[in-house]
Amino acid sequence: MADRNWRNQTAVTEFILLGFGELPDLQILLFLMFLVIYMATVAGNMLIIALVVADKHLHTPMYFFLGNLSCLETCYTSTLLPRMLASVLTGDKTISFSGCFSQLYFFSALVGTECYLLAAMSYDRYLAICKPLHYSTLMNNRFCLQFAAGSWLNGCLATIISVLFLSQLTFCGPNEIDHFYCDPIPVMELSCSDTHLSILVDFILACVFTLPPFLLTLTSYVFILASILRISSTTGRQKAFSTCSSHLTVVTIFYGTIMIFYMLLKRDTLRDLKKVLSLCFTVLTPLVNPLIYSLRNREVKEALSKAVSKCGFHKNMQRL
């Protein structure tokens, strides 16, 4: 009987992303803030990519993965913020069924890919600190290319399977998502059909695709910290830790905010806090990552200084 009732109801053709609609007086301020964040994020990450490509001193495995991470975060931000900016500016909170699932796919695929890229960078730091004599042999160009390609492929493949199962669910109302983007769990909660299979598929995919890079990252840093603590001199410990401090900061922010967000997801009383946390790993993390890697990394600062000096030199030549 329930199935018949679902079929008799009008199928949902669009969703409503409530976003920050409870703050009507701050819409212009929110628009300007998100616009500045988006422009700064794209500019910062594109600058990192340009430096990695242009400076030969950055043609190393660590910066190869950093360039991939910056490319990913440019795409990551562009999946969410332009749609949010349009919604805040026009007041149109609707998103089509296909648009919602497209956003959901690209967002989830990029999150999965980021897990693998962060794992690759942590493994790179593990080899550099714990096995320096074998570093160049183990972390060669071929391995880096395979790891990077595998990261993108695994992220996209796992998400295709998940979104295919999710798109087969029946949606017959309500269609309001109390979020600023199409997140898998809130979308699944709107379904009026049985979601047990989709939940099981998501759990299996998380165990197969997402858990391994997290465990690799965690294990790498356990060995790294153990190796650093065995260094007798304080200067040596500081030097060794400085080589991975930037990446450890990024990993902590990324996994920390995601874990807290999904632990609080079921608690409706904390919906405002959940939006703030989701902003942290979807908007603020891509913004601060270039700052973390540039301000706390001597090699990136040197590459940036060279690029600025070259630009100044060319400008002076043009004036002459």
Side-chain angles (χ1 to χ4, degrees):
M1 286 295 295
D3 288 339
R4 290 180 181 176
N5 289 334
W6 291 339
R7 293 190 187 101
N8 290 335
Q9 294 183 41
T10 304
V12 170
T13 58
E14 62 182 19
F15 295 99
I16 299 174
L17 294 172
L18 297 181
F20 300 95
E22 68 274 13
L23 303 171
D25 297 332
L26 299 177
Q27 295 303 295
I28 296 176
L29 179 62
L30 287 173
F31 173 79
L32 294 175
M33 182 182 72
F34 288 133
L35 180 61
V36 171
I37 288 174
Y38 180 57
M39 294 173 65
T41 301
V42 173
N45 283 289
M46 292 301 291
L47 177 61
I48 293 291
I49 295 171
L51 290 176
V52 171
V53 172
D55 196 305
K56 292 182 180 179
H57 293 94
L58 301 183
H59 291 180
T60 62
M62 181 64 181
Y63 294 106
F64 170 75
F65 291 123
L66 176 58
N68 273 267
L69 184 64
S70 294
C71 178
L72 178 143
E73 290 186 332
T74 302
C75 300
Y76 189 78
T77 307
S78 298
T79 302
L80 303 178
L81 277 181
R83 172 67 186 75
M84 190 195 308
L85 286 169
S87 176
V88 173
L89 183 63
T90 64
D92 182 11
K93 301 182 184 302
T94 61
I95 183 170
S96 66
F97 187 88
S98 59
C100 182
F101 276 86
S102 296
Q103 186 187 67
L104 189 152
Y105 168 75
F106 285 110
F107 165 74
S108 301
L110 292 169
V111 169
T113 303
E114 183 159 3
C115 292
Y116 279 91
L117 288 176
L118 291 176
M121 295 171 78
S122 65
Y123 182 65
D124 173 82
R125 292 300 84 200
Y126 159 74
L127 292 178
I129 294 173
C130 301
K131 298 184 181 294
L133 298 178
H134 303 284
Y135 177 77
S136 58
T137 303
L138 296 174
M139 192 60 71
N140 53 53
N141 291 336
R142 182 179 178 182
F143 179 80
C144 291
L145 288 171
Q146 289 175 341
F147 211 139
S151 299
W152 289 91
L153 183 62
N154 281 329
C156 295
L157 180 61
T159 307
I160 285 176
I161 299 171
S162 176
V163 171
L164 281 176
F165 275 89
L166 190 58
S167 64
Q168 300 305 309
L169 297 176
T170 303
F171 296 90
C172 50
N175 65 341
E176 292 184 346
I177 302 174
D178 191 13
H179 217 325
F180 57 88
Y181 66 93
C182 290
D183 189 64
I185 295 179
V187 170
M188 194 181 300
E189 290 176 345
L190 293 180
S191 173
C192 48
S193 58
D194 188 3
T195 60
H196 287 89
L197 181 59
S198 292
I199 294 172
L200 178 61
V201 169
D202 281 350
F203 176 76
I204 293 173
L205 291 174
C207 292
V208 174
F209 287 95
T210 308
L211 188 60
F214 171 72
L215 293 177
L216 176 59
T217 303
L218 185 63
T219 305
S220 296
Y221 273 104
V222 169
F223 282 106
I224 288 171
L225 293 175
S227 180
I228 290 175
L229 291 174
R230 285 197 296 268
I231 299 174
S232 56
S233 68
T234 304
T235 305
R237 284 197 298 268
Q238 291 176 346
K239 185 177 180 180
F241 184 74
S242 66
T243 63
C244 60
S245 59
S246 297
H247 181 252
L248 182 59
T249 303
V250 171
V251 168
T252 303
I253 294 172
F254 178 75
Y255 280 112
T257 52
I258 285 182
M259 287 179 178
I260 295 172
F261 171 74
Y262 283 105
M263 282 191 294
L264 296 176
L265 195 60
K266 294 290 185 180
R267 302 187 181 184
D268 294 332
T269 55
L270 300 174
R271 64 177 187 174
D272 293 333
L273 176 60
K274 289 184 290 187
K275 287 182 182 180
V276 172
L277 288 171
S278 61
L279 277 175
C280 288
F281 72 84
T282 60
V283 177
L284 295 183
T285 301
L287 173 66
V288 301
N289 281 1
L291 296 176
I292 291 172
Y293 280 109
S294 60
L295 295 178
R296 302 187 62 182
N297 191 297
R298 178 178 56 82
E299 292 171 321
V300 173
K301 286 191 288 187
E302 288 178 356
L304 181 59
S305 178
K306 289 178 183 177
V308 171
S309 64
K310 285 181 180 179
C311 291
F313 175 76
H314 287 307
K315 285 181 180 180
N316 291 331
M317 289 296 292
Q318 288 175 357
R319 289 175 182 174
L320 294 174

